[in-house]
Structures are given as C-alpha cells and as structure tokens.
Amino acid sequence: MSYPIPCHLPRVTIVGAGRVGSTLAQRIAEKNLADVVLLDIVEGMPQGLALDLLEARGIELHNRQIIGTNNYADTAGSEIVVITAGLPRKPGMSRDDLLRTNAKIVVEAAKGAIAHSPNAIFIIVTNPLDVMTYLAWQATGLPRDRIMGMAGVLDSARFETFIALELGVLPADVKAMVLGSHGDLMVPLSRYATVNGIPITELLDAATINRLIERTRNGGAEIVELMQTGGAFFAPASATSMMVESILLNQSRLLPIAAYLKGEYGLEDVVIGVPCRLGCSGIESILELNLSDFELKALHTSAQSVRKNIERSQEIFAAPS
Ligand code: TXD
C-alpha cells in the first residue's frame, strides 16, 4: 500500500484528525515537507483519512507516507507534534467556554505524544489557544523553546487579507503582525502593517484601519456564524503549516507565536503571542519590540485575561473529578 521509504524522513504527528488536523496533513504532505501520522480518538476515522490522502499521492505528485492511528505508539520519533484535538466553538460560544473540555483533552494528548517523541517540538492549535499551550508546556515539562501555540500567524493573515481587500492589492504584498492572546483582546499592530514596505497608516484613514482591526478580532466568530457547524480550518491549517515549514526547513522566520514568557514585555509565567524567530531548534529568540504605552497596555490586558484562565484551568485540575 505504501511506497518504500529510502531513509529517515522528518515525521510530523497531528493529534486530532478533524478539520484543521486533516487539512494540515494534506498541506504538509502535498508540500513534501514530512511524513505524517494522524491520530484521533475516533476509531477508523484517521485510518480512513490517511488512506484517502495516500490515494491522492500519484496525482498530487508527492511520496510522503501518511499513517492514521488511534495509538500513540505509532507516533514514535516525531520531529514535530501538532495538537488540534478538542472541540471547536459552536455559534455564540466563546473560546473560553471551551476551556474545561479541551484542557483535559490537550493534557492527555501532550502526555501521550511526549512519551513516544521526547525530542519533538510541539505546536498547540486547540482553543483557548494560549491557555492550552500553557497546559501542554506544564504537562510535557519541555523547555519553552520547544513548545508554542499557533494563533498569531492566522490572526495576522486575517488582518492582511482585510487590508488587501480594502486596498485591492495582492494579499502577499501585505505584511502585518498581530500579537497578544487569540481572542477578543488580540493586539493588531497597525503601525507595523505595510504594503510592500509602505505603512498602511499612509494608505488608509484611522476609521478604516479600526474597522479592519475589529473585523480581525472577530475573524474566527465571523466564520463560525456563517458556517454554523464548526469553525475555520483552511487558513488555520495554512498558518500551522507555515510554522511546521519554518521549523523543518530551518527558515528562522520571524512570526507571531504564542510563547511562554519569562519577563519579556514585562510579563512573567504566561503564554501570549509575541514575535519569535522559528527554526529547527524551535523558538530561537523572542523579539522585544519597542511598543508604545498604548500597545504595551493592550498586551498586558490581553495577558491578564490569559492568566485568569490559566488559574481557572489549574482549579479544574486540582478539583476531584
Ligand atoms: O488559531 C487557532 N489556534 C485555531 C484554533 C484556529 C482554528 C481552530 N482552532 C481550534 O482547533 C478549535 O477551536 C478546536 O479547539 C481545534 C480543532 O478544530 P477543528 O475544527 O479541527 O475541530 P474538529 O473538526 O472537531 O476536530 C477535532 C478532533 C476530532 O476529530 C475529535 O475526534 C478529536 O479532535 N479529539 C481527539 N483526538 C485525540 N484525542 C482526544 N482525546 C480527542 N478528543 C477529541
């Protein structure tokens, strides 16, 4: 059924073979980045998805191995583990409503995966993102450069999309950075947003920029309201695959990543989106931008809400089940 593999190729495990996980598997395989192990709690489902993806290999012209499994032993020796397992938001539900359910799922997934891939770099995708990343960091005991969350790349891509639509320019020409938590308190930095180097503040008035920022803050909810059955997954999978690529190809891309902070931006013992260089060893460095008082205050407000949810999550784990 599978092509022979000539030598060791990088392996990426994706825990949670739902919409984000399966789309990410497709992106990674079709970009020829790595072999993929798709793991899910539902029996047969990841195996079926893997077979379906394998059957497309001859057409898509790649030779990546794709395995579907319900067993963490099959994920052994992965270079990267991506955790997307959990429940997505339903209409009207906030990301924080997901906290209780997803906390248990993510901790179980992180422990299951690290047991078989102790050298892996972990990328957490499950919401509420910043808290889940903190819990996975705790559960694995990994150094902070090897565990991170994906949200800022997606939020920035949404901001870039809305800027491009407003100006009628190529989306790839727009660059923006959204920091902070993945939620209503995210921090889009409009003065760092450019179209091929030209700040958007020279191209758009303040009211328009604020409207685009609001739409970015609401980016996930807008899609949930439209779809009514789950949330976004194409752009989230693309954003995660960009991070996987930066690690596997050692690109050292400067990306907004949810990282564990130890004093950067005056924040301690919290996970939040900040600009990081991402290469083969994981987070190579965290860039401390010279933020204005307004921007720094917004980042701190964002961090406070994450901290509150981290405390709630610790209570959940302390309570007898
Ligand atoms: O920017 C971001 N970080 C995000 C996050 C962007 C989009 C989606 N975001 C979150 O990712 C979303 O709120 C969810 O928490 C996750 C996954 O979203 P997806 O849309 O892929 O959800 P699905 O399709 O319901 O898939 C979840 C899968 C599903 O197949 C379950 O059977 C599986 O997770 N699942 C598990 N797998 C393994 N182990 C356990 N315990 C488990 N529990 C559920």
Side-chain angles (χ1 to χ4, degrees), residues 18-20 40 45 84-88 108 125-127 150 154 182:
R19 293 194 287 189
V20 176
D40 203 280
M45 185 262 259
T84 77
L87 303 186
E108 176 196 300
V125 177
T126 307
N127 274 328
M150 186 294 292
L154 171 66
H182 185 48

Side-chain angles (χ1 to χ4, degrees), residues 14-230:
I14 302 169
V15 185
R19 293 194 287 189
V20 176
S22 57
T23 310
L24 176 63
Q26 181 187 10
R27 297 257 195 280
I28 291 172
E30 290 179 2
K31 282 184 178 175
N32 251 309
L33 286 175
D35 293 338
V36 178
V37 182
L38 262 177
L39 184 146
D40 203 280
I41 198 166
V42 179
E43 283 181 23
M45 185 262 259
Q47 291 85 346
L49 287 167
L51 181 57
D52 193 14
L53 284 165
L54 280 180
E55 288 167 357
R57 287 194 303 187
I59 302 169
E60 296 296 339
L61 302 180
H62 70 84
N63 189 21
R64 297 281 72 88
Q65 182 68 259
I66 302 151
I67 297 167
T69 185
N70 309 109
N71 186 344
Y72 281 96
D74 294 329
T75 68
S78 297
E79 273 77 4
I80 299 180
V81 172
V82 181
I83 299 182
T84 77
L87 303 186
R89 271 197 293 172
K90 303 210 167 65
M93 205 177 172
S94 83
R95 289 184 179 93
D96 291 343
D97 292 335
L98 287 178
L99 179 63
R100 183 171 287 272
T101 318
N102 285 356
K104 294 200 166 140
I105 294 175
V106 167
V107 166
E108 176 196 300
K111 286 186 174 162
I114 189 88
H116 297 278
S117 300
N119 299 318
I121 292 171
F122 279 61
I123 304 175
I124 313 304
V125 177
T126 307
N127 274 328
L129 188 271
D130 309 270
V131 187
M132 293 303 129
T133 307
Y134 185 96
L135 294 179
W137 166 76
Q138 268 188 330
T140 54
L142 280 170
R144 66 169 179 159
D145 50 337
R146 282 181 37 216
I147 186 150
M148 66 203 77
M150 186 294 292
V153 178
L154 171 66
D155 296 331
S156 302
R158 285 181 173 152
F159 192 26
E160 288 163 0
T161 300
F162 301 142
I163 294 167
L165 285 173
E166 189 70 29
L167 290 168
V169 298
L170 191 74
D173 285 350
V174 182
K175 294 285 167 238
M177 218 2 113
V178 177
L179 305 185
S181 62
H182 185 48
D184 309 335
L185 295 173
M186 67 180 70
V187 185
L189 297 176
S190 52
R191 73 190 170 99
Y192 289 109
T194 68
V195 180
N196 275 344
I198 300 167
I200 60 161
T201 43
E202 294 196 20
L203 304 169
L204 295 166
D205 60 38
T208 307
I209 293 174
N210 283 336
R211 177 165 51 77
L212 303 184
I213 286 177
E214 264 327 291
R215 192 167 178 199
T216 303
R217 287 214 169 94
N218 247 329
E222 184 179 355
I223 291 176
V224 171
E225 287 302 330
L226 286 167
M227 290 174 57
Q228 295 288 312
T229 51

